[in-house]
Amino acid sequence: MLLALDVGNTNITIGVFDGAELKCTLRITTKMPRTSDEYGILLRSLMRDNQINPDDIDAAIISSVVPAIMYSLRNGLYKYLNVDPIVIEPGVKTGIKVVTEAPAQIGSDRIVDAAGAFTKYGGPVLVLDFGTATTYDLVDEKGQFLSGITAPGIRTAAKALWQDAAKLPEIEIKKPASILAKETISSMQAGLVYGQIGQTEYIIDKVKEESGFENLKVVATGGLGAMIAAETRKIDIYDANLTLDGMRFIYEKQRGR
């Protein structure tokens, strides 16, 4: 079985694959400092709680945008699962060719999303990932990563509101009953959610205009992506497991290599 770990700025999303079947998904926080022993024990415990035998794990792959935790995480996998993980970095075969001006600056998380979307849905495709940042990545029909756009994520914007404005409270991020808010909480929710919808639609339209891709598919993933995708017709597909599937595709390319 394959263990796929997507290390983001906020959470580590973990998928366990038996062949092409995603058996379970798990999430743990990224920002809490952990030793290799803590990672290993936690992963084994979480898998057991989800009816996965940790001893059945025979391979692992990691995509990470948080270098500081990698030493402990990799050693936890060595010590407790007896696997040497593939880490997605320059030199790893992904099926995506980055043709931007500074390829090394493109995060592995974005390459993974691009690989997942291109493999599953073909190109040209615009991949939206609603995470700590909201990213928009353009891949053409040849699998070339042409361009990336980065904006603050919804939760990031929300934290800026309640941390930097003394009288604004911490709120649940959800779509309010109406954009015509009549009190503080729903006014913040309206600004955050409808603002994200407006941004999303404008960027999609602008990418289509400037790229000239009339048949561009738009695929979204990431935590709050389902809420945004449900509110606009400009997103064609919401795929909650796009990143994990992308990691599996990349692992299979390495194994085939």
Side-chain angles (χ1 to χ4, degrees):
M1 299 179 88
L2 172 68
L3 187 68
L5 301 100
D6 174 32
V7 182
N9 289 296
T10 303
N11 293 315
I12 302 174
T13 303
I14 302 157
V16 179
F17 287 95
D18 186 1
E21 182 185 358
L22 182 60
K23 302 293 288 186
C24 74
T25 58
L26 313 164
R27 278 183 173 80
I28 59 178
T29 59
T30 304
K31 294 182 179 179
M32 181 181 296
R34 294 186 175 94
T35 66
S36 59
D37 294 318
E38 288 171 323
Y39 276 120
I41 292 168
L42 180 57
L43 287 170
R44 290 185 68 90
S45 176
L46 287 171
M47 283 189 278
R48 286 196 194 98
D49 287 346
N50 284 271
Q51 290 73 56
I52 302 292
N53 182 354
D55 295 328
D56 290 338
I57 301 296
D58 55 15
I61 185 166
I62 303 173
S63 168
S64 175
V65 296
V66 188
I69 75 163
M70 288 300 293
Y71 181 82
S72 293
L73 179 59
R74 292 182 72 168
N75 275 282
L77 295 176
Y78 294 144
K79 292 167 67 175
Y80 286 86
L81 296 175
N82 197 31
V83 293
D84 183 8
I86 295 170
V87 178
I88 300 171
E89 55 192 0
V92 171
K93 186 177 179 181
T94 65
I96 298 296
K97 182 180 180 180
V98 181
V99 295
T100 60
E101 291 183 1
Q105 294 179 5
I106 305 299
S108 64
D109 55 334
R110 301 175 81 151
I111 300 301
V112 166
D113 282 347
F118 181 73
T119 304
K120 294 180 81 170
Y121 306 110
V125 60
L126 182 65
V127 191
L128 283 58
D129 192 335
F130 294 87
T132 303
T134 300
T135 57
Y136 306 77
D137 295 322
L138 181 63
V139 180
D140 70 9
E141 69 281 358
K142 298 177 183 178
Q144 297 183 123
F145 187 109
L146 301 181
S147 180
I149 300 144
T150 307
I154 308 175
R155 287 194 178 91
T156 303
K159 286 180 183 178
L161 280 177
W162 63 63
Q163 288 179 358
D164 294 340
K167 291 190 175 182
L168 293 182
E170 186 171 343
I171 62 167
E172 178 186 4
I173 300 173
K174 67 176 185 178
K175 179 189 170 188
S178 170
I179 197 170
L180 301 176
K182 307 209 182 283
E183 40 70 39
T184 299
I185 292 176
S186 61
S187 75
M188 293 171 66
Q189 291 170 334
L192 290 164
V193 175
Y194 287 105
Q196 181 68 69
I197 294 167
Q199 177 199 98
T200 300
E201 292 186 335
Y202 182 83
I203 290 179
I204 291 171
D205 286 344
K206 201 67 178 173
V207 169
K208 287 182 176 180
E209 175 190 326
E210 294 197 15
S211 69
F213 293 139
E214 295 181 0
N215 60 337
L216 182 68
K217 290 179 284 293
V218 180
V219 179
T221 192
L224 292 170
M227 178 176 65
I228 303 303
E231 298 300 322
T232 175
R233 295 181 180 179
K234 294 186 183 292
I235 294 176
D236 299 311
I237 300 161
Y238 175 74
D239 187 337
N241 298 321
L242 182 70
T243 305
L244 294 174
D245 281 335
M247 296 177 71
R248 176 174 62 84
F249 297 145
I250 291 171
Y251 168 76
E252 290 171 353
K253 287 182 182 296
Q254 302 311 301
R255 186 174 60 175
R257 191 184 219 182

